[in-house]
Amino acid sequence: MASNTYTWNDAATGTLPSPAESLAGRDLCSIADFSTAEIAATLKLAHDVKQSPQDYRWALDAKQMVMFFEKASLRTRLTFETAINTLGGSAIFVDQTQSPLGERESLADMSRNLERWVNVIVLRTYAHETITEMASYAACPVINALSDLEHPCQALADFLTVEQKFGTAKGLHFSYVGDGNNVCHSLMLTAAQLGAHMVVGSPKNYAPKADIIAQARAIANHTGGSIEIVSDPVAAVEGADAVYTDVCTSMGMEHEVTKRAPIFKPYQVNEQLMAHAASHAIFMHCLPAHRNAEVTDAVLDGPQSAVFEQAENRMHAQKALLLLLLGGSKQAASK
Ligand code: CP
Ligand code: NVA
């Protein structure tokens, strides 16, 4: 983690909002690393960046971002690259799919090299500990771009989407149906921090991890939110404002596809299941979707689907994240 080098100037007041200031130089390994106020500040900035991208055109001029990915990616890689490029910085991508990080060289030695060349390290890994370990060594911020445990950048974009649709996440009935995986974990922690009521409907043995449930509930106790875990998919979506699902088999679990398919069949989000949600409900998915497995074409392509807004918002949310962690300054005019 880097020292505090934040240089943000709020255009209206010339002062530094304290949650934003506190994020300078920080890591994002888990979304729970950020407080409620820090998540709110990130989302507030993301709304502004989305509204007025030109104001931030050179805010990270000459900053360097390196990305090491042990797993495939479309959205995360390209939204991080477009984000930093359009803020005036540059991205370096290292395909790490053929050899795990730490194999050729220790994470400690890698980080001692990287911190001398770049301003931020973005990692997509299998083991979550690869990210926390790199963060413990590196002097610059480290960002989790998906691990087996969490996908915090996805959750930021998803709650940006929720705020755009509903104004606020507070008090919202947010349902997740399917595997209690990395995406589900980060959504639970974020929902708790923003005071939403989240209901997770998962098959037996595929519920979210018990320690993440406990952590999310502890946060929700302070924010007025709640976290409920059920096994009935209909009960999970009854009256929901948003219905979210993800693949039944995450990257690294492909060998379980055949075993999992029948177990997850009753959890498919189709028009019958969506009919139990509120009539104004939106459908959400992090993508990539396995069409007609965890979600039908009719729902994915239907009028309630917000999936491509979520995908777009990955870029805006990550711009805000990079600005806050790297200390970007807002400029009224482009260079
Ligand atoms: N949602 C998401 O992270 O997509 P990618 O795997 O394509 O990056
Ligand atoms: N849970 C999925 C998310 C992909 C963006 C996976 O980890 O493969």
Side-chain angles (χ1 to χ4, degrees):
M1 189 194 295
S3 61
N4 192 323
T5 55
Y6 193 78
T7 58
W8 181 268
N9 287 307
D10 183 85
T13 62
T15 58
L16 201 58
S18 61
E21 185 177 25
S22 67
L23 286 172
R26 292 258 297 278
D27 305 308
L28 177 60
C29 300
S30 163
I31 195 65
D33 293 346
F34 284 16
S35 67
T36 295
E38 289 166 346
I39 292 177
T42 308
L43 296 181
K44 185 169 182 287
L45 181 57
H47 286 292
D48 194 52
V49 167
K50 183 171 184 176
Q51 181 86 24
S52 311
Q54 276 309 318
D55 288 355
Y56 299 87
R57 178 65 187 91
W58 299 103
L60 294 182
D61 191 19
K63 299 285 188 195
Q64 302 294 319
M65 177 182 74
V66 68
M67 312 170 73
F68 291 88
F69 277 34
E70 292 180 345
K71 294 172 173 170
S73 173
L74 176 73
R75 278 147 293 273
T76 308
R77 174 182 177 177
L78 294 181
T79 54
F80 263 111
E81 291 198 14
T82 51
I84 193 103
N85 288 343
T86 51
L87 294 171
S90 303
I92 304 161
F93 183 80
V94 184
D95 180 351
Q96 206 69 40
T97 54
Q98 301 309 310
S99 64
L101 284 160
E103 190 175 80
R104 178 170 182 261
E105 190 168 4
S106 76
L107 296 174
D109 284 349
M110 269 186 83
S111 62
R112 288 186 197 114
N113 284 265
L114 296 172
E115 69 197 21
R116 289 163 187 262
W117 307 321
V118 305
N119 304 98
V120 57
I121 301 168
V122 179
L123 301 179
R124 172 167 281 203
T125 65
Y126 289 91
H128 187 70
E129 294 68 29
T130 303
I131 298 174
T132 51
E133 202 182 322
M134 186 80 90
S136 74
Y137 296 125
C140 63
V142 171
I143 297 175
N144 178 355
L146 183 147
S147 68
D148 284 346
L149 188 67
E150 273 206 55
H151 197 358
C153 298
Q154 181 69 50
L156 286 173
D158 294 339
F159 278 92
L160 179 63
T161 309
V162 164
E163 287 190 351
Q164 283 184 315
K165 296 282 182 191
F166 298 104
T168 179
K170 196 161 181 64
L172 217 73
H173 178 164
F174 189 94
S175 292
Y176 177 97
V177 185
D179 190 24
N181 61 17
N182 45 8
V183 170
C184 179
H185 289 157
S186 290
L187 290 172
M188 283 167 57
L189 293 167
T190 314
Q193 278 168 313
L194 297 179
H197 301 292
M198 183 159 169
V199 186
V200 178
S202 297
K204 194 168 167 283
N205 299 327
Y206 295 92
K209 282 171 73 80
D211 54 342
I212 302 275
I213 297 172
Q215 189 182 8
R217 284 185 172 149
I219 296 167
N221 280 342
H222 293 284
T223 63
S226 62
I227 302 292
E228 196 182 341
I229 312 294
V230 299
S231 56
D232 177 3
V234 172
V237 305
E238 202 71 64
D241 298 301
V243 177
Y244 199 118
T245 193
D246 185 14
V247 292
C248 312
T249 46
S250 288
M251 290 180 277
M253 301 302 291
E254 289 83 355
H255 58 283
E256 291 198 7
V257 167
T258 312
K259 175 185 152 195
R260 288 184 179 221
I263 297 170
F264 281 89
K265 201 163 190 300
Y267 295 82
Q268 182 190 65
V269 180
N270 50 37
E271 287 167 302
Q272 292 71 41
L273 191 62
M274 280 302 288
H276 291 276
S279 55
H280 62 251
I282 59 169
F283 169 72
M284 304 182 76
H285 194 306
C286 56
L287 303 178
H290 292 165
R291 285 177 171 269
N292 301 311
E294 77 273 6
V295 57
T296 58
D297 284 345
V299 171
L300 194 63
D301 299 328
Q304 291 168 288
S305 179
V307 299
F308 298 113
E309 278 136 287
Q310 291 173 257
E312 179 186 334
N313 283 337
R314 293 295 305 278
M315 180 178 70
H316 305 300
Q318 286 154 205
K319 275 188 173 184
L321 179 65
L322 290 168
L323 284 164
L324 291 165
L325 300 189
L326 302 191
S329 62
K330 183 172 183 172
Q331 290 176 234
S334 60
K335 272 188 184 170

